[in-house]
Amino acid sequence: EMSFLSGDKTQNPLPEAVLSQHSRAVNRLAWHPGKKSHLMLTASQDATVKLWERRSSFREESTGSKGRNSRGNPKMKSWFGLHAPFQQGQADQSIAWHCRATFKPKSEAVRDIQWSPFHEDVFAMVTDSGSLIVYNICVVARPWVKIAAHSGEATTVDWHPTHPYVIATGGSDRTVKIWD
């Protein structure tokens, strides 16, 4: 069962946030797959990737038995799976999304992004100019790796599920390439 944070639950659900700092269309987004589930990447036609952080100013209450908080009220599930209880009659929790970093790979549009399943601060992207670019979110100024991966647009990227340094890319040149 879905639980909306605000708005009419059946007809007009309202989003928790509208992130509008890209200047052109957003092509892809990726939630962090691990412990940092409060982070999300967005890739855009404006040739940037933005790192978003979900922040909350409320203090979560300790969980009692059977899904109840310390006041005995049932805990609410949030739309995003990030526990942010909302109880009718209370003021909204102060939840905000903050653009923590903007990655500018000096290329054309960013087509796809993927977090590394092995290195929690690392992600890969591919661009319209055919590049495969790997960044560490702790070093915004320059990528770890930049490869001319395809002769045309690079359209998709994915990490190998068991080998930490193997990445596959696909492109408009009708090829899939495996990078090690």
Side-chain angles (χ1 to χ4, degrees):
E1 180 180 336
M2 292 189 281
S3 174
F4 293 95
L5 297 178
S6 57
D8 180 336
K9 296 178 185 180
T10 58
Q11 302 209 358
N12 297 312
L14 298 176
E16 176 182 275
V18 176
L19 310 177
S20 58
Q21 289 189 7
H22 283 291
S23 62
R24 296 190 60 202
V26 175
N27 292 328
R28 184 72 68 194
L29 55 87
W31 290 103
H32 194 284
K35 297 176 191 171
K36 296 183 178 183
S37 62
H38 60 286
L39 298 179
M40 181 175 59
L41 294 168
T42 56
S44 173
Q45 283 293 117
D46 65 11
T48 67
V49 170
K50 294 194 180 289
L51 173 63
W52 300 92
E53 182 175 22
R54 184 180 192 263
R55 295 181 179 169
S56 172
S57 66
F58 73 93
R59 190 179 64 161
E60 289 194 37
E61 300 177 44
S62 62
T63 305
S65 62
K66 298 181 182 177
R68 296 186 175 272
N69 64 22
S70 61
R71 294 184 189 153
N73 297 323
K75 287 193 153 192
M76 302 293 285
K77 292 180 182 177
S78 79
W79 174 260
F80 296 100
L82 303 169
H83 183 70
F86 175 78
Q87 296 173 355
Q88 299 217 355
Q90 287 186 344
D92 291 345
Q93 277 72 25
S94 178
I95 306 242
W97 284 87
H98 169 72
C99 182
R100 194 165 120 181
T102 299
F103 299 87
K104 299 177 182 179
K106 297 184 177 124
S107 65
E108 296 176 23
V110 180
R111 286 291 172 189
D112 196 11
I113 48 176
Q114 289 288 327
W115 287 100
S116 167
F118 302 98
H119 308 286
E120 69 178 14
D121 292 334
V122 175
F123 71 93
M125 70 172 80
V126 290
T127 69
D128 269 0
S129 56
S131 296
L132 164 62
I133 304 169
V134 178
Y135 272 96
N136 182 314
I137 63 172
C138 301
V139 184
V140 177
R142 65 184 189 289
W144 273 9
V145 175
K146 185 171 184 177
I147 299 169
H150 293 271
S151 58
E153 297 175 355
T155 56
T156 188
V157 63
D158 202 6
W159 296 84
H160 191 281
T162 60
H163 298 288
Y165 299 100
V166 177
I167 299 175
T169 61
S172 63
D173 58 4
R174 298 173 293 161
T175 63
V176 173
K177 297 182 179 181
I178 312 300
W179 304 92
D180 187 358

